[in-house]
Amino acid sequence: MMRISGLHIAAAGAFIILVGLGTWQLQRRAEKLDLIARHEQALNGPAEQFPPDRLWESTDFSKLE
């Protein structure tokens, strides 16, 4: 009969944590690659005109990149 020791439990816990962190890293990598692609597309695309002075008070600048 096999006896489960504290070391086995700790190793299993560490394994579960490391698999979770690895999965999270892969998801984060996909998000970063998407962000980089969107920024590269914006940099290589046509320039947007800045709104004229008379429209500054009604312009939501938080939506401009």
Side-chain angles (χ1 to χ4, degrees), residues 6-41:
L7 183 59
H8 288 108
I9 293 171
F15 179 75
I16 291 169
I17 290 171
L18 291 174
V19 167
L21 287 172
T23 303
W24 172 75
Q25 284 290 325
L26 291 174
Q27 291 171 349
R28 183 69 180 125
R29 180 181 182 269
E31 292 171 4
K32 286 182 181 180
L33 291 175
D34 180 55
L35 180 66
I36 290 169
R38 284 189 285 133
H39 280 278
E40 284 180 349
Q41 184 180 13

